[in-house]
Amino acid sequence: MIAKPLLKAAASWVAIAAFAAACATTPTQQGAATPAATPEAAQEFVDNSERELMARSEYEGRVAWVYSTNINYDTEWLLQRADAEGTEARVRIASEAARYQGLDLPAETQRKLNMLRLGLTLPAPQREGAATELSQITTRLASIYSTGRIDYQGREVTLDELETLMGTERDPARLQEMWTEWHDVAAPMREDYARMVAIANEGARDLGYENVAQMWLSKYDMPADDMEREVERLWGQMQPFYEQLHCFVRTRLNARYGDSVVPLGEPIRADLLGNMWAQDWTALMPIVRPRGSAQTYDTTQLLTRAGYTPVTMTEAAERFYTSLGMEELPDTFWERSLLTRPRDRDVVCHASAWNVDNVDDLRVKQCIQINAEHFQTIHHELGHNFYQRAYNQQPFLFRDGAHDGFHEAIGDFIALNITPEYLVEIGLLRRNQVPSAAADTNLLLEQALGKISFLPFALAMDQWRWQVFDGRITPDQYNTAWWELRERYQGIRPPVERSAAGFDPGAKYHIANNVPYLRYFLSYVLQFQFYEAACQQAGWEGPLHRCTVYGNREVGERFNRMLEMGSSQPWPDALEAFTGTRQMDGGSMVRYFQPLMTYMEEQNRGQDCGW
């Protein structure tokens, strides 16, 4: 019983020693002689940087894991230090990478140089103390979010419990209370966030970008302006669906709550949509289900009655991937993952997947609850893990998704396969319980409440940040502009008037933790492309939304070939490897939901669907 912890400690010290050695020997460190900008020097620089970053990545991964699973003063200190050191190193490397731009280089070397220039989410300026200040700010923001609690109905409540309550509570007064209390938790972030933006923009300018927004949009194998236009094109394909869904849902909420709570022709109160951020409306299904429609099933009830636990939910998700021919997760996954919220400490409960050593130390961190949403989430998170393992033979800089939307789309594509047929296959649903074709409107509506509702939320998230970083939104406008964008894209409003001095964006994990959100929007387009392509490869002949490729190893083999590419090629090459097409396209999503679109247009006829 003693040897195992000692072995883990020894392994950790080996990793730290390797990291220190790599950093000590790299010629890119401060004070080293600057080589001439030749193709040979560029190759040597790339090779040395890759070795340094791989060692650093493992070190940072272990520090971040310790912090995320045990938030306290000391782990915050460790994370701040690791982040500051990592930012300084990546700024140094990114700056030197710019020296080799314009040389005639092999395609692989040029691709790696581009990645080194874009390897930071928030770049610090190259001046003493900047990286440390930036790290201290970002750690404070993350900790305010992850340790947040509210007093609700006489007891202290955490965010993960609040998320469940927001989906089950129907009293508008209580929903308003929960929503308001949680959003007020983020108010202290406002000044730190403004300072963070100023520092990061200064760092982006040092690297040759106008601001952080331009830097984020430059990571997609095309110019930043072209990428922004591409996003608008994709949104335009699905916007009519969202407008019909918004109209349909608002009419049902009006019937339940009346004109005083949900007036027709106006934005919907954000707290009434079944989710703290109004990004997923699935919890509204009992309210908006068409009267007299054929019943489906309740996946949460099926899981509960079958006695599922966080571990068996994870095992079920793993079996989907292994049914496609992929190897089981390593034993260390089960030893090291965090699948339930500990009772004795604060943790970051936001679900995430990890490959700590960038080889096979795969883990998931998720405070799993036994419900349909978390069943889908664990299928999603394991998608990251299986992707990470598939590309672990690539050079370090290519151990990533073809672009960040790919990484998010992999698991969501698998989760789309959680159809009645799949639930029968795994024994959760009996064959005679499979809903008839008459229930397809319900099945599609439930999916749309999660998928279609999300698209404008994702757009508003990063539109707000792009405009903050490029200066169109100033600190005194943070909250006001946030709600203007939420109303423009989503047609929602806060349940109470919000102060311009507040910071409601910080009530969302990805704002407080500086995770770009465009990846999720792109993933919602890609997951349907992957799904339609897989179903075609499997020879599926029924309605697209009923398809599952569970157990199809031919699909799995082609799918894995795309995963193994990592980011070694431009994303259109990876997309083509699996789908046969080179352009992201919302057409697959349109075809998936077309029967529902026809139904909603009929239901909404004569309604004022504007807001």
Side-chain angles (χ1 to χ4, degrees):
M1 294 299 292
I2 297 176
K4 198 168 185 180
L6 287 175
L7 181 60
K8 286 184 178 179
S12 298
W13 281 111
V14 168
I16 293 170
F19 157 69
C23 294
T25 58
T26 176
T28 62
Q29 63 186 334
Q30 296 284 1
T34 303
T38 64
E40 294 76 20
Q43 187 62 58
E44 182 180 5
F45 163 74
V46 166
D47 293 343
N48 288 331
S49 298
E50 203 159 21
R51 281 193 294 271
E52 176 183 350
L53 290 173
M54 182 161 181
R56 183 176 291 282
S57 176
E58 180 178 356
Y59 165 73
E60 292 169 344
R62 297 192 187 282
V63 170
W65 179 264
V66 169
Y67 164 79
S68 295
T69 57
N70 188 5
I71 302 172
N72 59 49
Y73 174 85
D74 293 310
T75 59
E76 281 190 9
W77 185 93
L78 288 170
L79 185 68
Q80 286 177 7
R81 179 163 183 170
D83 280 354
E85 292 169 351
T87 298
E88 288 176 343
R90 288 175 177 84
V91 167
R92 164 174 49 81
I93 289 169
S95 299
E96 186 166 349
R99 294 183 59 245
Y100 301 103
Q101 291 299 106
L103 293 177
D104 185 12
L105 298 170
E108 180 176 305
T109 304
Q110 185 61 60
R111 185 165 182 79
K112 288 181 177 180
L113 277 172
N114 292 341
M115 289 179 170
L116 291 172
R117 289 184 67 229
L118 291 164
L120 290 152
T121 299
L122 293 178
Q126 297 180 71
R127 57 177 172 77
E128 187 174 352
T132 298
E133 183 183 5
L134 185 62
S135 177
Q136 289 172 344
I137 290 172
T138 56
T139 303
R140 277 200 302 272
L141 293 172
S143 293
I144 289 171
Y145 183 92
S146 294
T147 60
R149 303 281 192 279
I150 73 163
D151 291 325
Y152 176 68
Q153 301 293 302
R155 61 190 182 90
E156 190 177 78
V157 179
T158 61
L159 176 59
D160 45 316
E161 186 176 354
L162 276 177
E163 288 186 69
T164 300
L165 288 170
M166 289 291 291
T168 55
E169 179 61 64
R170 300 300 182 213
D171 182 337
R174 290 191 173 187
L175 287 168
Q176 177 180 309
E177 178 186 354
M178 286 187 283
W179 188 98
T180 304
E181 291 286 334
W182 176 252
H183 281 73
D184 287 347
V185 164
M189 298 181 189
R190 186 169 175 269
E191 289 187 11
D192 267 343
Y193 197 87
R195 178 61 183 154
M196 180 203 76
V197 168
I199 296 171
N201 272 342
E202 184 184 347
R205 288 191 292 272
D206 284 352
L207 296 177
Y209 300 95
E210 294 179 11
N211 50 63
V212 173
Q214 186 188 64
M215 189 172 173
W216 284 9
L217 283 162
S218 297
K219 297 184 178 184
Y220 294 94
D221 293 311
M222 65 175 68
D225 290 345
D226 290 353
M227 187 60 197
E228 196 163 3
R229 283 190 289 271
E230 176 72 356
V231 171
E232 287 298 326
R233 180 186 69 81
L234 293 169
W235 166 235
Q237 291 182 287
M238 290 308 302
Q239 186 175 359
F241 279 71
Y242 179 76
E243 291 170 350
Q244 292 297 318
L245 180 68
H246 182 282
C247 191
F248 180 84
V249 168
R250 183 175 58 192
T251 302
R252 270 47 182 188
L253 290 175
N254 172 268
R256 181 182 182 92
Y257 294 115
D259 291 339
S260 62
V261 177
V262 186
L264 296 175
E266 295 185 16
I268 304 171
R269 261 178 54 173
D271 59 325
L272 301 178
L273 290 164
N275 173 268
M276 182 62 77
W277 307 280
Q279 70 180 67
D280 183 332
W281 304 352
T282 311
L284 296 184
M285 191 64 186
I287 296 176
V288 304
R289 179 182 287 115
R291 294 184 185 88
S293 61
Q295 292 295 306
T296 55
Y297 50 83
D298 185 327
T299 304
T300 298
Q301 287 183 2
L302 296 175
L303 291 165
T304 303
R305 289 171 182 170
Y308 270 66
T309 67
V311 171
T312 55
M313 281 174 62
T314 308
E315 289 172 339
E318 180 194 31
R319 281 194 295 274
F320 197 112
Y321 293 90
T322 58
S323 82
L324 299 179
M326 301 178 186
E327 293 182 13
E328 292 182 350
L329 294 165
D331 290 343
T332 53
F333 172 89
W334 302 101
E335 296 167 5
R336 300 170 186 172
S337 290
L338 185 150
L339 302 179
T340 57
R341 176 186 277 275
R343 296 182 178 181
D344 61 340
R345 62 190 190 274
D346 283 318
V347 302
V348 179
C349 260
H350 185 85
S352 56
W354 302 56
N355 187 356
V356 177
D357 65 356
N358 296 291
V359 183
D360 58 7
D361 191 350
L362 304 168
R363 311 180 189 185
V364 157
K365 176 185 58 59
Q366 181 184 347
C367 302
I368 297 177
Q369 299 178 47
I370 311 306
N371 60 43
E373 180 183 355
H374 283 219
F375 191 56
Q376 288 199 350
T377 300
I378 191 60
H379 281 73
H380 167 92
E381 294 302 335
L382 292 196
H384 291 296
N385 287 145
F386 280 94
Y387 201 176
Q388 289 162 339
R389 187 167 62 183
Y391 57 58
N392 71 8
Q393 298 303 305
Q394 291 284 351
F396 171 73
L397 286 173
F398 295 155
R399 295 183 193 181
D400 203 350
H403 66 51
D404 51 12
F406 274 70
H407 235 304
E408 299 301 332
I410 299 305
D412 278 349
F413 149 58
I414 297 299
L416 283 174
N417 286 268
I418 303 177
T419 60
E421 186 63 32
Y422 170 61
L423 297 180
V424 169
E425 291 279 351
I426 65 174
L428 265 181
L429 196 67
R430 293 192 302 274
R431 178 67 63 183
N432 63 4
Q433 292 177 306
V434 173
S436 67
D440 279 4
T441 297
N442 277 345
L443 291 170
L444 285 169
L445 179 58
E446 188 163 11
Q447 280 281 34
L449 290 170
K451 301 293 185 182
I452 303 297
S453 67
F454 177 83
L455 295 170
F457 170 79
L459 272 182
M461 281 274 290
D462 269 5
Q463 279 286 356
W464 181 83
R465 281 193 288 202
W466 296 340
Q467 294 179 42
V468 165
F469 282 122
D470 72 17
R472 283 176 286 173
I473 297 174
T474 55
D476 61 306
Q477 300 169 327
Y478 278 173
N479 230 30
T480 303
W482 172 254
W483 286 109
E484 287 174 353
L485 285 166
R486 299 292 298 279
E487 180 173 333
R488 182 193 313 166
Y489 281 103
Q490 286 185 275
I492 66 166
R493 63 176 176 84
V496 296
E497 186 174 349
R498 303 302 290 162
S499 168
F503 192 66
D504 292 343
K508 177 64 178 169
Y509 172 88
H510 300 77
I511 298 287
N513 288 267
N514 294 292
V515 180
Y517 217 70
L518 179 57
R519 65 187 63 178
Y520 301 101
F521 175 84
L522 298 176
S523 79
Y524 273 51
V525 174
L526 286 169
Q527 65 188 258
F528 285 93
Q529 277 190 266
F530 294 160
Y531 180 69
E532 184 176 44
C535 292
Q536 289 171 350
Q537 293 165 26
W540 180 262
E541 295 181 351
L544 181 57
H545 60 275
R546 291 267 185 156
C547 168
T548 184
V549 297
Y550 179 76
N552 192 308
R553 296 201 166 214
E554 291 181 9
V555 170
E557 183 179 349
R558 185 166 176 175
F559 183 52
N560 203 52
R561 283 202 298 270
M562 177 180 71
L563 303 187
E564 288 173 344
M565 293 170 68
S567 59
S568 63
Q569 303 296 323
W571 64 260
D573 294 346
L575 182 63
E576 186 177 29
F578 184 52
T579 69
T581 61
R582 297 180 59 81
Q583 184 180 50
M584 292 183 287
D585 182 20
S588 297
M589 189 185 283
V590 169
R591 287 184 286 277
Y592 183 97
F593 284 111
Q594 188 56 55
L596 177 65
M597 180 66 164
T598 302
Y599 169 80
M600 289 193 302
E601 286 175 331
E602 293 172 354
Q603 295 296 306
N604 292 335
R605 189 171 290 120
Q607 292 281 351
D608 174 9
C609 287
W611 59 73

